Amino acid sequence: MRKRLIALLAVTLVGAGCAPSRTPGPRVESEVTTLLVENQGYLDMTIYVLRSSQRVRIGTAGGSKSSRFTIPPDLISGIGVLTFIADPIGSSRTSVSEQIMVTPGDQIVLTIPPR
């Protein structure tokens, strides 16, 4: 009887050691999605991202410079379709991109040609 009890206890302990952990692991951060704006013009541009009817200001891209921005994760859920707007400061010649499919972790490059 004692040998059976020891064997049963050993099997129980081995089984408990193999059970998956129920404690949550470290939280995995979502992938960062970036926008690289290569502004070849001389005017500074205010950059917006448009999703459906929501327009969100991303930042200002200086003239004749490259600027990198982080796209807010709440604008991208799974595969998102985004449009980018470059609004020149001091001019009314706003540029609008095509619709672009974006997934988390992508890097989008937007080139603004000189005018």
Side-chain angles (χ1 to χ4, degrees), residues 2-18:
R2 185 174 181 172
K3 288 183 182 180
R4 283 188 184 177
L5 183 59
I6 292 173
L8 181 61
L9 183 59
V11 169
T12 304
L13 291 176
V14 169
C18 295

Side-chain angles (χ1 to χ4, degrees), residues 21-49:
S21 173
R22 300 218 190 280
T23 58
R27 184 176 175 208
V28 177
E29 294 294 323
S30 61
E31 296 182 73
V32 176
T33 307
T34 58
L35 171 67
L36 175 64
V37 178
E38 296 175 350
N39 187 357
Q40 298 174 352
Y42 63 91
L43 291 176
D44 294 346
M45 300 276 186
T46 303
I47 307 298
Y48 298 94
V49 63

Side-chain angles (χ1 to χ4, degrees), residues 1 3 7 11 14-15 26 31-33 38 49-50 59 61 64 68 80 83-84 86 88 93 100 115:
M1 177 76 172
K3 288 183 182 180
V11 169
V14 169
E31 296 182 73
V32 176
T33 307
E38 296 175 350
V49 63
L50 183 67
S64 302
R68 185 176 311 274
T83 303
F84 297 92
R93 299 183 69 187
I100 301 171
R115 296 189 186 208

Side-chain angles (χ1 to χ4, degrees), residues 18-115:
C18 295
S21 173
R22 300 218 190 280
T23 58
R27 184 176 175 208
V28 177
E29 294 294 323
S30 61
E31 296 182 73
V32 176
T33 307
T34 58
L35 171 67
L36 175 64
V37 178
E38 296 175 350
N39 187 357
Q40 298 174 352
Y42 63 91
L43 291 176
D44 294 346
M45 300 276 186
T46 303
I47 307 298
Y48 298 94
V49 63
L50 183 67
R51 187 181 114 196
S52 300
S53 62
Q54 182 182 13
R55 181 173 121 163
V56 177
R57 183 183 183 277
I58 299 295
T60 302
S64 302
K65 292 183 182 177
S66 292
S67 304
R68 185 176 311 274
F69 305 100
T70 300
I71 298 174
D74 58 325
L75 292 178
I76 305 165
S77 55
I79 297 177
V81 178
L82 304 178
T83 303
F84 297 92
I85 301 170
D87 188 14
I89 298 171
S91 178
S92 60
R93 299 183 69 187
T94 301
S95 298
V96 180
S97 75
E98 301 279 329
Q99 289 186 333
I100 301 171
M101 291 181 59
V102 179
T103 58
D106 284 353
Q107 177 178 324
I108 299 98
V109 178
L110 181 66
T111 302
I112 303 169
R115 296 189 186 208

